[in-house]
Amino acid sequence: MKKLYSALMTAFNEDGSINEAGTREMIRYNIDVNKVDGLYVGGSTGENFLLSPEQKKQVFKIAIDEAKSDVDLIAQVGSLDLNESKFLAKFVTDLGYPKISAVTPFYYKYTFEEIKDYYNEILKGVDNKLLIYSIPALTGVGLSIEQFAELFENPKIIGIKYTNADFYLLERVRNKFPDKLILSGFDEMLLPALALNVDGCIGSTYNLNAPRVRAEMDAFDAGDIDKARELQKVSNDAITALIQNDIYPSLKLVFEEMGVHAGFTKAPMAKPTDEMRADAKKIYQDYFKK
């Protein structure tokens, strides 16, 4: 059975401090209502790259304390500071996270040898398994099938969070590495990813949309492609509306409409305007109201 993971959001207070109660509410909603298989903690959706190391540690502690062993947990520890990544990899492993993930190093134009060293260094002395977080549209780092093969020479690297619109590469990777874990990371492209036999998916909109996504995955597995296609269309309509209303604050505003205290986004992300709130209410009514 293919696995469904929400990319966990972080609730913030207006001053940018972490709202622990709100973060716990989102975790519980994902587990108790969305019935997700797992949570991807510390990724882009959690606004991770805006957080201090201490805030990252706080989020990792909150998530595992609240989720316990109810669902699978993946901790994203990648950072531009390799020492921070290594420290966080050990920190979350000691907390009990069964898997870690790390975004490819970005901003500077790293060579592949530097990227490979980065992953191998993160895993040195850490008894854990790692998913490469490949998201070329935001990092500018694209990996070839030959480069994935080199990274997989490290037995602790077990797969990829594949957030990439290159489906030719996905097909090649899936068929060359049938035993590796590949989780699709683009919510709007889930259906073609399912057709290429990914093992599951991780997504930001799944915080709100997990029941519809689960229904799509079930329809696909049952061979009802027309139903799966229709469900993907509705999901994509909702995603388009969220993007047009500024997706990160809008995800939290819709969560508030659902009775979950999701807090604010962290500056320099936008604070919600009255217009954004009104549009988020309409998105909730059009796509998520039960």
Side-chain angles (χ1 to χ4, degrees):
M1 180 174 153
K2 298 183 190 305
K3 302 297 185 182
L4 171 59
Y5 293 75
S6 284
L8 183 66
M9 295 192 288
T10 306
F12 295 97
N13 298 309
E14 201 161 2
D15 65 359
S17 60
I18 290 170
N19 180 330
E20 179 173 340
T23 302
R24 287 180 182 272
E25 280 190 51
M26 290 191 285
I27 293 166
R28 288 260 55 92
Y29 188 92
N30 270 297
I31 295 170
D32 299 335
V33 180
N34 281 339
K35 307 292 186 185
V36 297
D37 297 300
L39 295 170
Y40 189 82
V41 185
S44 309
T45 305
E47 301 167 58
N48 173 76
F49 304 113
L50 303 177
L51 304 190
S52 69
E54 285 303 311
Q55 286 181 312
K56 292 176 185 180
K57 287 167 60 181
Q58 187 179 354
V59 171
F60 288 133
K61 286 194 286 188
I62 291 168
I64 197 163
D65 179 67
E66 188 63 46
K68 298 182 173 62
S69 58
D70 293 345
V71 293
D72 189 33
L73 294 174
I74 304 171
Q76 196 293 123
V77 300
S79 166
L80 279 176
D81 182 348
L82 177 57
N83 285 329
E84 180 186 301
S85 297
K86 292 170 68 174
F87 170 81
L88 289 174
K90 184 177 186 311
F91 179 78
V92 298
T93 300
D94 290 345
L95 283 176
Y97 278 78
K99 298 183 188 69
I100 61 175
S101 180
V103 69
T104 49
F106 56 92
Y107 188 81
Y108 299 103
K109 301 297 183 184
Y110 294 103
T111 66
F112 175 68
E113 287 304 311
E114 290 170 325
I115 293 170
K116 185 166 70 170
D117 287 345
Y118 160 89
Y119 282 112
N120 290 335
E121 281 294 318
I122 288 172
L123 285 164
K124 267 186 185 176
V126 175
D127 185 17
N128 213 329
K129 300 167 287 190
L130 181 139
L131 287 169
I132 299 160
Y133 180 10
S134 178
I135 181 167
L138 294 185
T139 61
V141 180
L143 296 170
S144 68
I145 190 165
E146 293 81 13
Q147 290 169 336
F148 279 122
E150 279 196 53
L151 293 173
F152 288 149
E153 289 174 5
N154 186 327
K156 293 180 181 177
I157 299 179
I158 62 165
I160 312 165
K161 180 180 185 282
Y162 190 91
T163 310
N164 188 346
D166 186 343
F167 285 91
Y168 172 61
L169 178 61
L170 175 58
E171 186 276 332
R172 297 285 80 193
V173 172
R174 171 75 291 170
N175 281 283
K176 187 172 180 63
F177 306 107
D179 297 329
K180 295 298 181 182
L181 180 64
I182 302 178
L183 298 172
S184 172
F186 268 136
D187 306 17
E188 61 272 32
M189 301 181 195
L190 174 59
L191 186 54
L194 291 174
L196 291 173
N197 199 29
V198 293
D199 298 294
C201 55
I202 300 171
S204 54
T205 62
Y206 303 163
N207 286 274
L208 311 176
N209 199 38
R212 184 178 288 122
V213 173
R214 179 75 74 191
E216 177 182 338
M217 294 166 74
D218 289 346
F220 180 86
D221 286 344
D224 192 344
I225 303 305
D226 287 342
K227 181 178 179 181
R229 190 183 296 118
E230 178 56 30
L231 288 165
Q232 185 71 67
K233 176 196 175 297
V234 177
S235 291
N236 285 0
D237 289 344
I239 291 166
T240 299
L242 286 163
I243 291 170
Q244 290 174 344
N245 199 46
D246 197 342
I247 189 164
Y248 288 110
S250 293
L251 286 167
K252 293 184 175 183
L253 289 170
V254 175
F255 239 156
E256 294 283 343
E257 294 294 325
M258 298 165 81
V260 178
H261 299 100
F264 292 88
T265 49
K266 195 172 193 294
M269 289 193 182
K271 293 290 189 295
T273 64
D274 289 343
E275 183 180 3
M276 286 170 64
R277 290 183 186 278
D279 287 345
K281 187 182 289 287
K282 185 174 189 307
I283 293 168
Y284 164 69
Q285 291 170 341
D286 287 350
Y287 300 107
F288 302 111
K289 189 173 182 180
K290 293 181 174 63

